[in-house]
Amino acid sequence: MFERGNQRFRPPSSNDMSWSNSASSKCKSCGGRYSLPCILALLPRYEVCEKLCGIFFSTVFPLMPVLHLLDFTHNFRTFWEETGRVTGHDTNISSLLRRKPSFICLLSSILFASLATASPSRVADIKDIDDDQSATPDKMYFMAMVTATLTGFPRRPSLDTLAAYLIAQSQFVREEDFADAPDFISTAFRVALGMGLHRQLPHAGFSVAELETRRRLWWYILHLDIMSSASSGLSPLFIDDKMANAEMISQYDQRDGNSEDRSNQIDVRYFVASKRYDVTKRIRGIIRSHFEDAFKSPEQVRDVAKELQEMTVHINTTVERLLERGSPSSANTVPSSKNEVGSIRSSTLSPKFDRVWKIDSEATDREVAGYCSWSALLLHLMVHKAFGVLYHPIFRDPVMTSDVQLRASAVKHAQAFLQIFMRVCDDPVSEPFHWMYPGTYQPLQAVALLLADLLQRPWSDEAQLSRGLVDAVFEIYHVDQGMVCRNEPPKRNLSPSGKEAWSMLARTRKRALERIGQDSHVFFPQRLATSEFCICGERVSGQNSPRDNSDAESRTQSPRGPWRDEFATTLNSDTLGEEEQRSTASQDDLIGTNNFDWLEWDSSVGPSMGLMS
């Protein structure tokens, strides 16, 4: 059974984590097979665990809120009160662990995720406070792997072990390798189905915390499924909403036996997650339409684009609310790991990570205000991601791209996606979340779409901006790692196919620049990432600093002034004007040698058969 769990939790081959040095079926202390007391001996001291949990709930949890925070905090406090501040091989098994042995699997996965995602400065701070050699990513991952096996995952899963599996495995996911990682997502999906997480079961005897945790796990798995499908081109595991009736996640933590109105306790982490899941529901419908070959004309694409535009209006309302909560001072300051997380030298067992991140409170909490500013960017990014999923598969069809408004809409949304993505990578307020952007997700589809357009229409009105944005991406591109941030970048270990995807884009950029006689070794990046406004004209930041002199430029990139998505807001395509005719590619370009090599692209990001096309 140990070997089975070992394989299920094994990191991808592209990862260089040295966990295998600790991987043994024998405990070094007693010489026997690992048991729960053996695992407790590997656990760091209480002070280190508390600090790492604080980092987790400030950096990882906001992007994957799969737990009931109050319930976890109660279990954390109970465990340490019953165990004591220091664990060892002869530690008595607490009553909590006798009831829920899976709690150690969840705790070790949280510790691993904190160590794997925290910046070097945050980890160094932990080592300064308590030089605990047990607090290493490989040891924490090994703990999670062994305890998952001991508690029977995946054959006998629990909410804790499923959450632990998601938390741990999500640290290895890379967008370039989504086609190679379906086992992780499909395992989580199948386990969730077996546990009935897709069903609303109010009378099944679950506590309030358990019901909410079930919903949060289910919706995060669906979100991960859609993001994976959108990147790899493979079909989602969950297709039809009629297959499930699970309610949307609550925006605050409810308590058992407490019917008080907690609407004033809305946590911005749950609030933003619910909006992200709304967008991925729309993306699922678009992917389904692609696989059903429903887009046979520009008019059919326009109908869906209009629906996305309506969704954008609602998302923009949320973005404005988040920007009001975030403040310029907090957006320009990254919380110090020493000052903001709090001192761990506490005389009582009172974890500090269970506080509510209130969305409507005063902007005095820099951590919450910073997250609000960043999540406004994230929601805007997901809107352009939805448009990208709509346009990317059909952009390879010459008939579709001959529609000027369709092509202009596709290009502008791809440009806007790159602009916001660059800001997410470089803005100081993004530092706590670099593990996911750009650690997990990359702007592959947007770059591919713009390069395809540049090959066919190198002299179009949008070409100069497209080249500048592509150059901005490749300016911070690292060979074999993809696009990374400049300050303390997360290490991105890619598979050979993931590396080839970026190599293919680099070769295509060289071809596109050769068409206009430009040296591909020299970069001319567009500096739009600091603008208060997106290329699409919407406000994405509340900052009003002197560095925002590019605002006017970002909203007036074309002679027509601030861009408006005519394709998504008009019923019929207008007759091509003289200017549009000049910017449209010739028929020779549409069918000639200047096309983007979509077959090579499909081979790089996934199998060449069964993809959206």
Side-chain angles (χ1 to χ4, degrees):
M1 185 171 66
F2 179 85
E3 287 74 20
R4 177 178 177 81
N6 192 336
Q7 293 295 327
R8 189 66 67 180
F9 260 80
R10 184 181 295 274
S13 57
S14 59
N15 188 275
D16 62 354
M17 188 172 67
S18 59
W19 72 277
S20 56
N21 296 332
S22 306
S24 170
S25 59
K26 303 289 185 180
C27 174
K28 294 181 180 180
S29 298
C30 67
R33 284 189 172 272
Y34 275 101
S35 61
L36 210 52
C38 305
I39 298 301
L40 290 177
L42 301 175
L43 196 64
R45 295 166 54 87
Y46 165 77
E47 290 83 1
V48 177
C49 289
E50 184 191 18
K51 184 72 176 287
L52 289 174
C53 285
I55 291 177
F56 173 85
F57 286 104
S58 297
T59 60
V60 179
F61 185 74
L63 298 185
M64 49 182 310
V66 295
L67 305 176
H68 189 280
L69 182 52
L70 295 179
D71 185 61
F72 174 82
T73 305
H74 171 75
N75 290 335
F76 181 87
R77 183 185 299 111
T78 301
F79 167 74
W80 285 106
E81 287 176 348
E82 295 178 346
T83 303
R85 286 177 175 267
V86 181
T87 58
H89 194 278
D90 297 326
T91 302
N92 292 328
I93 303 300
S94 66
S95 60
L96 172 69
L97 292 188
R98 294 182 187 277
R99 297 192 312 270
K100 296 181 63 176
S102 57
F103 174 76
I104 287 296
C105 181
L106 175 59
L107 177 59
S108 53
S109 292
I110 287 175
L111 301 181
F112 162 70
S114 299
L115 290 165
T117 60
S119 62
S121 59
R122 289 177 183 264
V123 176
D125 182 43
I126 297 173
K127 296 294 179 64
D128 289 341
I129 296 175
D130 195 310
D131 189 15
D132 194 331
Q133 297 300 319
S134 63
T136 61
D138 55 317
K139 291 181 180 179
M140 294 302 98
Y141 188 82
F142 180 68
M143 279 187 62
M145 176 188 70
V146 175
T147 49
T149 303
L150 290 175
T151 53
F153 185 85
R155 289 186 177 274
R156 296 186 300 277
S158 66
L159 294 178
D160 283 352
T161 53
L162 178 56
Y165 182 67
L166 287 168
I167 291 169
Q169 295 300 308
S170 291
Q171 309 312 315
F172 302 116
V173 174
R174 299 292 179 259
E175 180 166 353
E176 299 92 330
D177 301 328
F178 263 132
D180 299 329
D183 184 58
F184 152 52
I185 300 172
S186 62
T187 296
F189 180 72
R190 296 295 181 186
V191 169
L193 288 180
M195 297 174 67
L197 302 190
H198 60 303
R199 295 296 182 190
Q200 183 67 16
L201 304 172
H203 305 296
F206 296 116
S207 67
V208 171
E210 288 173 330
L211 286 172
E212 185 58 37
T213 303
R214 290 168 63 88
R215 286 192 290 266
R216 290 174 183 174
L217 285 168
W218 173 249
W219 280 102
Y220 179 74
I221 292 172
L222 293 191
H223 173 77
L224 191 62
D225 177 36
I226 292 302
M227 296 299 284
S228 169
S229 178
S231 301
S232 66
L234 298 173
S235 171
L237 298 170
F238 185 78
I239 297 295
D240 196 338
D241 288 336
K242 296 178 181 178
M243 296 170 58
N245 66 349
E247 297 178 354
M248 180 54 73
I249 65 172
S250 174
Q251 296 181 6
Y252 52 87
D253 284 326
Q254 304 179 59
R255 300 175 185 268
D256 282 311
N258 191 337
S259 58
E260 64 175 316
D261 181 14
R262 293 178 57 85
S263 59
N264 63 337
Q265 297 291 312
I266 291 179
D267 193 308
V268 68
R269 292 170 291 190
Y270 306 138
F271 174 74
V272 172
S274 65
K275 301 302 178 182
R276 290 165 60 204
Y277 299 158
D278 285 340
V279 177
T280 48
K281 283 180 63 177
R282 294 295 187 100
I283 295 177
R284 183 191 303 119
I286 294 172
I287 293 176
R288 177 177 175 177
S289 296
H290 280 304
F291 276 99
E292 294 174 350
D293 199 20
F295 300 120
K296 298 182 181 298
S297 68
E299 288 70 25
Q300 292 171 312
V301 180
R302 180 178 291 106
D303 290 340
V304 176
K306 289 173 62 179
E307 294 176 0
L308 289 181
Q309 196 67 33
E310 294 173 358
M311 177 196 72
T312 302
V313 174
H314 296 291
I315 293 297
N316 286 339
T317 301
T318 301
V319 168
E320 288 297 325
R321 184 179 181 185
L322 291 169
L323 291 178
E324 290 176 3
R325 175 63 178 87
S327 65
S329 58
S330 4
N332 284 320
T333 306
V334 179
S336 166
S337 58
K338 289 185 178 180
N339 298 330
E340 293 302 313
V341 177
S343 172
I344 64 173
R345 301 293 188 184
S346 175
S347 59
T348 59
L349 299 182
S350 54
K352 304 174 178 60
F353 48 76
D354 61 343
R355 64 191 179 91
V356 178
W357 285 19
K358 293 184 180 180
I359 189 173
D360 294 324
S361 59
E362 295 181 0
T364 56
D365 190 322
R366 293 191 302 165
E367 194 171 43
V368 178
Y371 175 70
C372 288
S373 298
W374 183 82
S375 58
L377 294 171
L378 176 63
L379 291 179
H380 204 73
L381 189 73
M382 289 203 65
V383 166
H384 294 299
K385 176 73 173 181
F387 278 98
V389 173
L390 172 63
Y391 291 130
H392 186 264
I394 62 178
F395 205 76
R396 59 185 75 187
D397 183 352
V399 175
M400 289 289 190
T401 54
S402 64
D403 184 292
V404 173
Q405 290 181 346
L406 185 153
R407 175 197 154 270
S409 180
V411 169
K412 285 298 183 181
H413 283 292
Q415 291 176 340
F417 184 90
L418 288 187
Q419 178 200 7
I420 302 301
F421 199 96
M422 291 295 299
R423 180 163 192 151
V424 165
C425 290
D426 283 346
D427 197 310
V429 77
S430 304
E431 182 271 331
F433 316 109
H434 281 162
W435 68 273
M436 181 169 280
Y437 291 91
T440 298
Y441 295 106
Q442 295 275 290
L444 293 169
Q445 280 72 25
V447 172
L449 190 148
L450 292 185
L451 287 174
D453 187 67
L454 288 172
L455 283 173
Q456 294 185 351
R457 301 167 178 85
W459 306 109
S460 67
D461 292 340
E462 300 86 0
Q464 182 177 355
L465 179 57
S466 293
R467 280 190 289 267
L469 290 168
V470 171
D471 277 6
V473 169
F474 278 94
E475 187 182 33
I476 58 176
Y477 161 75
H478 284 194
V479 176
D480 294 341
Q481 290 194 55
M483 181 179 173
V484 297
C485 47
R486 291 183 173 88
N487 298 321
E488 295 187 316
K491 191 170 183 180
R492 307 188 73 250
N493 298 288
L494 301 180
S495 67
S497 61
K499 297 174 183 177
E500 176 55 28
W502 277 105
S503 297
M504 185 262 181
L505 291 177
R507 293 193 299 270
T508 305
R509 172 182 172 271
K510 181 179 180 180
R511 286 174 53 206
L513 293 178
E514 286 175 348
R515 291 212 63 192
I516 62 172
Q518 183 173 316
D519 188 346
S520 61
H521 296 89
V522 181
F523 297 106
F524 298 95
Q526 283 281 354
R527 305 298 185 186
L528 298 179
T530 59
S531 173
E532 183 180 347
F533 289 88
C534 176
I535 289 172
C536 69
E538 296 295 338
R539 190 167 73 98
V540 295
S541 171
Q543 300 183 27
N544 294 300
S545 61
R547 69 175 185 168
D548 287 336
N549 294 329
S550 57
D551 287 355
E553 178 186 358
S554 68
R555 290 196 287 171
T556 57
Q557 288 296 327
S558 71
R560 303 182 184 91
W563 178 68
R564 180 170 176 264
D565 194 343
E566 296 292 344
F567 180 73
T569 55
T570 56
L571 296 176
N572 300 298
S573 298
D574 297 329
T575 304
L576 295 184
E578 183 178 352
E579 180 180 356
E580 285 83 358
Q581 290 175 346
R582 286 198 304 268
S583 65
T584 303
S586 66
Q587 190 66 23
D588 291 338
D589 278 350
L590 292 176
I591 61 176
T593 60
N594 293 320
N595 282 343
F596 188 90
D597 193 338
W598 292 110
L599 181 60
E600 182 183 4
W601 171 255
D602 291 342
S603 300
S604 298
V605 298
S608 58
M609 301 298 292
L611 295 165
M612 290 184 293
S613 61

